[in-house]
Amino acid sequence: MFTLCDFTVEYNKNLLGLDERKPRFSWTLCSDKQNVRQTAYCITVRDEHNAMVWDSGETESDNSVHIEYDGAPLSACTRYNATVTVRDNKRESAQAELTFETGLMRKPSGEFITHTFGERNVPKFVRSFECKKKIQRARLYATALGVYEARINGMRVGDIYDAPGWTSYEKRLQYQTYDVTELLGDNNELAATVGEGWYKGALTWDKRTCVFGDTVAFCAELHITYSDGTREIIKTDKEWNCRPSHILSSSLYDGDETDTTFETPAFYPVKIISYDGNIISQINEPVRVTESLPAKECFVTPKGETVIDFGQNLTGIVRFRVHGKRGQQVRIAHAETLDSDGNFYTANLRKAKCEDTYILNGNEQILQPVFTFHGFRFIRLYGFESVDIADFEALVLHSDMQKSGVFSFSDSRITQLQSNIVWSQRDNFFDIPSDCPQRDERLGWTGDAQVFCRTASFNYNVVPFFEKWLGDLAADQTADGGVAHVVPNVLGDYLTPSSCWGDAATVIPWTLYCVYGDERILARQYESMKAWVEYMRSRSPHDLWQSGFQYGDWLALDKEEFSDRTGATDKYLIATAFYALSADILSKAAKVLNKSEDAEFYARLHARIVKAFCKEYVTDTGRLVSETQTACVLALHFDLLPKKFRPRVLQTLIDNIRDHGYHLTTGFVGTPYLCHTLSECGYGDIAVRLLKSDDYPSWLYAVDKGATTIWERWNGIYPDGTFFEPSMSSFNHYAYGSIGDWMYRKWAGIDCLQPGYKKISIKPYLVEGVDSISCAFDCMYGKISVAYRIENGCVRYRVEIPVNTTAVLELPGCDKTTVGSGVYEFDGKTEASK
Ligand code: BGC
């Protein structure tokens, strides 16, 4: 059987509001045969009147990803139907269809309306209208300065939370498209409540308000198409009115205050304000509720507080059923953990209150906050007369990305580690890649995103997510190419740009290109990538970057005695190593994009930086001046050493690890590459030893302490249960989850030999004591999977390779071989597990 499994346009199966003029189609093929290759494809696209707008014709090609639309210009607000038909080398054919709809393809022409009733309650904007004819289709295009929830006739529009999401608002703002056909009747009320969100609400540890603006506003266009073909457009303008809503206040950090007894007061007129930035259609997947977790346990703490445990540290909100007295106030506080006495612990939330308050109306009510989110596993209840845990559920909120990887191990602690990585990704991929979801921070720290992006790409398809954020990264770059510490940049010119953080500009687009074969993202980010390299070049006389502020090996343990967070590795050694990495990436990107002059220029620059690095940081006898784990790892992994010196630096690394009792000391910078370097240099056994250690500092230390997400610090909780300083100790920070990349690429051994996994390498590592693993990853061509089971000195492998790709198999105990698509089983001999 030969089938077309997934047919997508711009990574989506059914896209509404597409503003891309040349959208790209991709599909995956499934077959029960081996060595299947597509030999030809044909794509046709028809508009909603069934007129053909593109016929690619029968195209002989095995290309099945990112095929660019090449037909007549697409019209705005129009539905299109695309069909793809393919043939394979086994003389079979398959077909699939999809529908997409274009967006406004221009700035919405609705005005930005704001309220006129002063600083009280969250405003609600309202417009009433009639529809006198039968409606065929209706779409709402909406955005806000703030975060909005729209309703038509009281019914929620769509399932998106915290729209329009967070962008560098002064430059870019996304609008959303909703199908609202079913919500309209003869007499209608379109309403939108707009909270402060990231636009106006408190941000950063200083809880600065009004960072982007001091006036929330709403902007929308409602397009109604009647059955007789006529159209009507209702826009935000002076015709609307506003009133205070029942949400008394809303804050991302502090929570919502809601008065459900609030009586609708008189209407006020709206005021029109201007917005000069660029308004674009939504690029990334919006934030949605992706799961609901039931409450696990309710108990009274030693302090006498009533606490509910959801069993999982998560990002989201609590929905609950309550039947109280009219005017009764109930409050829900949120926390990640309990302290060593079993009490509710909120010190690490710093100035974020993380509390939702409700005034009840006397009826049975189902309540949840609207414009906030919390990072929590536990909630503390105030003001409830009785508690039934069946009445409480945690709604998990994050960017609704497509899941792409699943990984399980016969060792339950490693399975828990993998789960912790995935949860920290979910919890922090909240429209932007944030550092943490709980304290007064939740910012788009570039370094964190940079170190984690390859791991992230295994667990979920992260292209739309990062594409949108990289657009903001570029928009926020300084005139001389400097990259902000956080994107969107709410810290201003806080400190000069830092290495490793700023390299998000180059590393992330390049990673997306390697993993998804997406050249467009490289093309779009190219100027930003180049500007960042040029920034470093302008500060690097003699090809060494040795000035300005640097985070160093953030949170590394080798400088703990100085209570310094930047680690012991020479900061400028790190800066120059990353300068080399980025110059190399830029040169390769230029090559992909056929910019041959740049490719050569930056290749030469890279060679010069490597030379300068050696002159400055490596002695004539091959000793690295900074002998930390991170310094050795960067020198080896980024290929900065002459071949003859590699063994000595490798030995220094091994000695260092051994001297630390086979423990890591690396921070944000060294951790992602530590185990990779060991595996690549023939010390896979030490990589495994690090991964499997369970005393501090190690990944499993936190797992044994009951972690359900990745901690910010290796020592977040000490062995005796006490905490590291609460001023900076999040229990949900994905950076150290970057070991996930090693687990997929070196343990399961799934790697790409050509961009997008057109050519795959399968080279699993047999880990002593872990008898079986099962790993599957959906690449652009379909499912790659690797599983093995070790029994009595034998290892049985099962490998699956998608149609249209080839794979080089290097399975321990078996001969090396190259295969086409299909499912394969092999048996080999091993001594790995006893
Ligand atoms: C954040 C980090 C970030 C760091 C840089 C912290 O407060 O939580 O993850 O990268 O600051 O200084």
Side-chain angles (χ1 to χ4, degrees):
M1 252 248 296
F2 180 59
T3 47
L4 230 147
C5 315
D6 263 329
F7 182 29
T8 57
V9 61
E10 292 301 329
Y11 300 95
N12 259 281
K13 284 188 189 146
N14 185 359
L15 197 53
L16 216 54
L18 176 81
D19 274 2
E20 197 66 66
R21 309 231 163 218
K22 292 210 172 263
R24 294 160 307 166
F25 298 99
S26 301
W27 55 89
T28 61
L29 302 164
C30 301
S31 168
D32 49 6
K33 299 193 176 66
Q34 291 182 337
N35 298 312
V36 180
R37 246 183 330 100
Q38 171 186 300
T39 51
Y41 71 82
C42 174
I43 305 174
T44 55
V45 179
R46 291 171 184 274
D47 69 11
E48 53 197 50
H49 308 294
N50 212 21
M52 179 86 79
V53 290
W54 185 42
D55 182 353
S56 72
E58 171 102 353
T59 309
E60 294 204 356
S61 165
D62 68 350
N63 198 359
S64 54
V65 305
H66 308 308
I67 315 276
E68 201 171 84
Y69 172 81
D70 195 20
L74 297 172
S75 309
C77 306
T78 306
R79 271 184 103 63
Y80 290 92
N81 196 277
T83 306
V84 60
T85 312
V86 302
R87 278 192 292 114
D88 72 2
N89 56 341
K90 310 278 173 182
R91 299 207 186 146
E92 290 191 279
S93 66
Q95 204 179 59
E97 269 184 55
L98 69 79
T99 304
F100 65 94
E101 188 178 303
T102 48
L104 293 169
M105 291 182 149
R106 58 162 169 79
K107 234 177 161 167
S109 57
E111 308 277 8
F112 279 81
I113 53 171
T114 189
H115 64 95
T116 49
F117 53 75
E119 290 298 317
R120 51 186 282 217
N121 304 39
V122 168
K124 183 170 176 176
F125 302 95
V126 182
R127 165 81 149 88
S128 302
F129 57 93
E130 286 176 17
C131 291
K132 295 208 177 102
K133 295 186 267 188
K134 197 167 172 301
I135 297 166
Q136 187 200 51
R137 166 166 110 199
R139 297 288 182 262
L140 178 69
Y141 305 94
T143 188
L145 301 175
V147 281
Y148 72 91
E149 185 192 84
R151 287 183 178 259
I152 292 182
N153 300 325
M155 289 171 284
R156 196 179 198 281
V157 171
D159 53 4
I160 304 180
Y161 280 73
D162 294 309
W166 193 6
T167 45
S168 303
Y169 293 127
E170 65 279 39
K171 299 153 200 151
R172 280 152 52 92
L173 180 65
Q174 298 200 117
Y175 75 84
Q176 290 69 46
T177 305
Y178 305 91
D179 180 353
V180 294
T181 318
E182 300 301 321
L183 304 183
L184 291 170
D186 298 341
N187 294 303
N188 300 292
E189 184 195 81
L190 168 57
T193 319
V194 183
E196 297 185 346
W198 300 278
Y199 185 77
K200 183 183 172 194
L203 290 174
T204 81
W205 45 89
D206 293 330
K207 289 184 94 173
R208 265 192 301 134
T209 54
C210 306
V211 174
F212 295 97
D214 57 8
T215 312
V216 299
F218 181 63
C219 166
E221 281 185 32
L222 174 65
H223 290 211
I224 306 168
T225 310
Y226 294 104
S227 301
D228 62 6
T230 56
R231 280 190 180 199
E232 187 180 358
I233 298 181
I234 292 165
K235 296 180 199 175
T236 38
D237 55 19
K238 283 254 181 203
E239 298 283 297
W240 288 58
N241 53 55
C242 65
R243 62 186 181 207
S245 74
H246 64 291
I247 304 173
L248 306 180
S249 72
S250 80
S251 156
L252 296 174
Y253 291 172
D254 291 342
D256 278 8
E257 285 181 281
T258 310
D259 181 355
T260 64
T261 65
F262 190 75
E263 299 288 335
T264 307
F267 290 115
Y268 296 79
V270 296
K271 196 168 92 193
I272 290 173
I273 61 165
S274 66
Y275 172 73
D276 301 329
N278 197 11
I279 305 181
I280 52 174
S281 184
Q282 174 106 15
I283 298 170
N284 58 335
E285 297 90 350
V287 170
R288 293 195 177 95
V289 172
T290 62
E291 195 177 344
S292 153
L293 295 184
K296 277 225 157 127
E297 207 193 333
C298 180
F299 52 91
V300 176
T301 65
K303 276 193 184 163
E305 295 170 333
T306 304
V307 168
I308 285 180
D309 178 7
F310 288 96
Q312 172 64 52
N313 201 14
L314 62 96
T315 298
I317 49 175
V318 171
R319 177 189 284 165
F320 64 105
R321 182 196 307 271
V322 65
H323 194 161
K325 297 192 195 73
R326 188 174 172 82
Q328 179 184 341
Q329 195 198 67
V330 295
R331 249 182 325 138
I332 299 184
H334 302 73
E336 290 188 287
T337 186
L338 303 177
D339 68 14
S340 53
D341 298 326
N343 286 314
F344 197 71
Y345 180 76
T346 55
N348 70 328
L349 306 177
R350 301 194 308 215
K351 288 185 220 144
K353 225 162 90 193
C354 308
E355 244 179 48
D356 297 319
T357 308
Y358 304 86
I359 295 172
L360 308 180
N361 69 7
N363 301 322
E364 182 174 285
Q365 293 176 281
I366 294 180
L367 298 171
Q368 67 181 67
V370 180
F371 294 127
T372 191
F373 66 89
H374 309 289
F376 67 101
R377 168 176 166 174
F378 299 93
I379 55 170
R380 177 170 58 187
L381 306 178
Y382 299 92
F384 287 82
E385 268 152 26
S386 61
V387 175
D388 178 352
I389 60 167
D391 289 336
F392 291 81
E393 58 178 324
L395 305 182
V396 178
L397 286 171
H398 56 85
S399 291
D400 192 10
M401 305 159 293
Q402 182 76 33
K403 182 112 187 82
S404 59
V406 271
F407 207 163
S408 63
F409 311 79
S410 57
D411 182 328
S412 60
R413 293 192 303 171
I414 309 269
T415 301
Q416 182 65 47
L417 172 63
Q418 167 65 13
S419 163
N420 294 0
I421 297 170
V422 173
W423 270 102
S424 279
Q425 177 169 354
R426 295 172 73 182
D427 296 340
N428 282 299
F429 278 41
F430 198 101
D431 205 60
I432 57 146
S434 67
D435 55 337
C436 57
Q438 73 299 80
R439 67 182 180 218
D440 50 5
E441 207 160 342
R442 315 182 194 183
L443 306 175
W445 284 98
T446 45
D448 306 41
Q450 187 271 112
V451 303
F452 187 67
C453 80
R454 185 71 193 239
T455 299
S457 72
F458 277 110
N459 297 323
Y460 285 89
N461 182 319
V462 291
V463 181
F465 177 80
F466 275 123
E467 186 181 345
K468 171 252 186 192
W469 184 73
L470 287 170
D472 292 303
L473 182 147
D476 278 347
Q477 262 172 292
T478 53
D480 58 354
V483 174
H485 298 259
V486 297
V487 172
N489 183 10
V490 292
L491 298 178
D493 48 11
Y494 163 68
L495 293 163
T496 55
S498 168
S499 163
C500 192
W501 271 245
D503 296 287
T506 48
V507 173
I508 299 179
W510 183 248
T511 301
L512 299 179
Y513 169 70
C514 294
V515 175
Y516 304 96
D518 191 329
E519 270 185 43
R520 186 179 281 179
I521 191 90
L522 272 192
R524 294 211 168 142
Q525 291 303 124
Y526 187 75
E527 288 310 317
S528 151
M529 298 167 79
K530 185 168 164 178
W532 170 242
V533 173
E534 284 300 310
Y535 175 90
M536 293 188 277
R537 194 161 77 93
S538 68
R539 276 147 187 84
S540 302
H542 314 296
D543 304 311
L544 294 167
W545 186 11
Q546 294 182 309
S547 59
F549 170 78
Q550 300 291 341
Y551 286 112
D553 189 15
W554 188 247
L555 302 190
L557 296 172
D558 41 12
K559 207 181 179 183
E560 199 72 353
E561 65 274 24
F562 300 116
S563 69
D564 184 328
R565 292 169 178 165
T566 60
T569 307
D570 185 302
K571 284 182 207 127
Y572 294 126
L573 177 151
I574 296 177
T576 300
F578 272 86
Y579 177 28
L581 174 76
S582 281
D584 187 36
I585 287 177
L586 185 62
S587 148
K588 289 179 185 148
K591 197 161 169 209
V592 173
L593 300 171
N594 295 321
K595 296 175 188 287
S596 48
E597 246 175 65
D598 275 12
E600 274 168 42
F601 180 84
Y602 291 105
R604 279 200 303 274
L605 175 65
H606 171 250
R608 281 205 321 267
I609 302 168
V610 172
K611 214 167 148 200
F613 178 93
C614 287
K615 201 167 162 211
E616 180 78 359
Y617 297 111
V618 187
T619 68
D620 286 350
T621 51
R623 182 169 181 186
L624 203 57
V625 299
S626 187
E627 295 189 301
T628 62
Q629 293 179 13
T630 292
C632 296
V633 161
L634 296 184
L636 291 163
H637 195 70
F638 292 175
D639 208 3
L640 302 175
L641 301 167
K643 224 175 166 176
K644 60 178 179 185
F645 292 154
R646 287 181 66 88
R648 179 161 183 187
V649 174
L650 177 60
Q651 196 53 50
T652 306
L653 172 64
I654 305 300
D655 291 348
N656 185 317
I657 295 172
R658 193 203 48 226
D659 292 348
H660 284 93
Y662 288 92
H663 286 107
L664 51 75
T665 60
T666 48
F668 278 29
V669 172
T671 302
Y673 311 116
L674 175 63
C675 288
H676 273 298
T677 309
L678 291 167
S679 294
E680 279 153 14
C681 297
Y683 284 93
D685 56 332
I686 298 185
V688 166
R689 195 161 168 180
L690 292 177
L691 181 72
K692 287 179 70 190
S693 9
D694 50 15
D695 52 343
Y696 164 79
S698 65
W699 285 279
L700 296 189
Y701 170 74
V703 169
D704 283 351
K705 285 250 149 252
T708 57
T709 40
I710 300 291
W711 296 350
E712 176 175 25
R713 293 182 175 262
W714 296 112
N715 49 355
I717 302 179
Y718 290 119
D720 66 358
T722 56
F723 295 106
F724 187 80
E725 47 148 349
S727 65
M728 221 190 79
S729 191
S730 136
F731 295 103
N732 208 349
H733 241 73
Y734 51 58
Y736 290 147
S738 56
I739 185 65
D741 172 33
W742 180 88
M743 287 156 72
Y744 277 101
R745 279 205 280 170
K746 294 295 194 308
W747 192 344
I750 299 176
D751 211 345
C752 56
L753 297 174
Q754 275 173 16
Y757 292 83
K758 180 79 177 140
K759 191 163 178 195
I760 302 160
S761 162
I762 303 286
K763 195 177 176 184
Y765 191 81
L766 304 187
V767 170
E768 199 159 325
V770 182
D771 295 330
S772 64
I773 65 161
S774 172
C775 177
F777 166 63
D778 290 322
C779 73
M780 289 304 292
Y781 293 91
K783 184 160 151 196
I784 306 172
S785 75
V786 175
Y788 67 67
R789 171 172 297 282
I790 305 171
E791 251 166 16
N792 309 323
C794 268
V795 51
R796 166 151 293 198
Y797 300 98
R798 186 182 184 280
V799 175
E800 189 175 346
I801 305 299
V803 169
N804 249 350
T805 65
T806 53
V808 180
L809 309 186
E810 290 177 82
L811 311 176
C814 302
D815 292 336
K816 181 172 174 178
T817 173
T818 300
V819 297
S821 70
V823 174
Y824 301 89
E825 289 191 355
F826 299 92
D827 287 323
K829 289 239 170 303
T830 176
E831 292 175 6
S833 203
K834 287 152 207 147

